[in-house]
Amino acid sequence: MSATTGVIFLPQSPPEDLRGVVEAAEQSGIHELWLFEDCFLEGGLTASTAALSWSQNLRVAIGLLPVPLRNPAVTAMEIATVARLFPGRFVPGLGHGVLDWMRQVGAGVESPMTLLREHTSAVRDLLAGKTVNASGRYVRLDDVALDWPPAEVPELLVGARGRRTVALAGELGDGVVLDSDDAAHVRSVRTQLDDARAAAGRDGHARLVVYTGTDPAHDPSGLETRLAERFAQLTDAGADTVVVLSTGDSPDPRPLIEAIAPLL
């Protein structure tokens, strides 16, 4: 299997279940464990730090940190801290957040796209060790620089659905997180992402992460075959990373981990 594989620990599971999932993922050889920061369940950064501390090789990713909830200086400080503690194993992602939730906590904005652009640009530059001055519509920073930028700057991914956000991910980020596993759409996003990166004059390959869901309780004996086919289909469409979540009654990803392990 050429794609990077991952599973999602859904925040519908209590935080105290995380360690058992981390240990199962580490032992299986799966490449990445993904966490959500959905309102009002579990903090993505706190859960990521715990997961990283309980593992040695597993990469831990957040898909996504809702940018309206944090000042970009705070976002960069937190990401830099985790990245320095666990170099090469932390993958942060930024996104609009669910707009209804953002309004619910008084963090809604008129232009989520503008905020995401300003926030992503500031975080990227801060992590790179730059001094940032910004006087945007939402982001205002005056000679801000991190005292402890990460020696190994982590990938900064952007969650996207529409063309404009995919283009932003290619221009400013290191890749995109896509919550659609329709192969035709994945193929289209691959092209959009590559074109946006080239137009911005950026070198290197942008990572395309695709979420896909399945119910482990539905035909358990066929789960491994079902996942192998899904991985092959999405990889062929241009996905670099395929991340699986449970769509069944139980959010526990351990049955998925067991089915993926023989495919690695």
Side-chain angles (χ1 to χ4, degrees):
M1 182 187 303
S2 58
T4 299
T5 59
V7 294
I8 295 173
F9 177 84
L10 291 168
Q12 285 74 20
S13 293
E16 55 268 28
D17 286 358
L18 178 58
R19 184 165 191 164
V21 171
V22 169
E23 291 171 349
E26 174 95 338
Q27 292 168 8
S28 75
I30 281 178
H31 306 117
E32 295 180 348
L33 177 69
W34 281 70
L35 303 170
F36 284 2
E37 188 172 77
D38 285 351
C39 295
F40 301 95
L41 297 166
E42 294 159 6
L45 287 160
T46 47
S48 294
T49 304
L52 287 161
S53 72
W54 292 326
S55 58
Q56 295 295 321
N57 301 302
L58 187 67
R59 290 196 299 271
V60 177
I62 306 178
L64 303 154
L65 295 171
V67 300
L69 294 181
R70 293 179 180 85
N71 183 285
V74 175
T75 303
M77 288 165 57
E78 298 285 7
I79 291 173
T81 299
V82 180
R84 288 183 70 100
L85 290 171
F86 305 99
R89 293 205 293 128
F90 179 51
V91 184
L94 305 178
H96 295 299
V98 176
L99 299 185
D100 285 345
W101 288 339
M102 298 303 102
R103 288 188 287 267
Q104 190 177 355
V105 298
V109 297
E110 290 185 0
S111 179
M113 189 71 190
T114 302
L115 172 58
L116 183 60
R117 170 174 291 279
E118 292 179 359
H119 193 109
T120 302
S121 178
V123 170
R124 183 191 68 175
D125 287 348
L126 288 167
L127 292 174
K130 297 179 180 179
T131 298
V132 177
N133 288 281
S135 55
R137 183 173 178 181
Y138 300 109
V139 173
R140 298 177 181 86
L141 301 174
D142 182 11
D143 283 339
V144 176
L146 298 180
D147 283 1
W148 297 104
E152 184 176 347
V153 179
E155 291 178 291
L156 187 63
L157 305 180
V158 176
R161 288 181 177 172
R163 297 182 68 91
R164 292 174 61 208
T165 321
V166 171
L168 186 152
E171 177 190 349
L172 297 178
D174 297 305
V176 69
V177 181
L178 186 64
D179 63 359
S180 168
D181 64 356
D182 176 78
H185 184 53
V186 172
R187 190 170 284 108
S188 175
V189 168
R190 175 80 270 168
T191 300
Q192 295 169 38
L193 187 63
D194 292 344
D195 288 349
R197 194 169 184 85
R202 301 190 64 201
D203 297 327
H205 181 76
R207 179 148 67 126
L208 174 50
V209 179
V210 178
Y211 293 158
T212 186
T214 191
D215 182 358
H218 173 71
D219 185 21
S221 62
L223 180 59
E224 183 179 325
T225 299
R226 194 159 72 245
L227 289 172
E229 292 173 351
R230 192 83 55 86
F231 285 134
Q233 180 187 46
L234 294 173
T235 302
D236 182 67
D240 300 295
T241 302
V242 180
V243 186
V244 188
L245 72 154
S246 172
T247 58
D249 292 335
S250 171
D252 187 351
R254 277 170 282 200
L256 297 173
I257 292 170
E258 292 176 4
I260 294 170
L263 305 175
L264 300 175

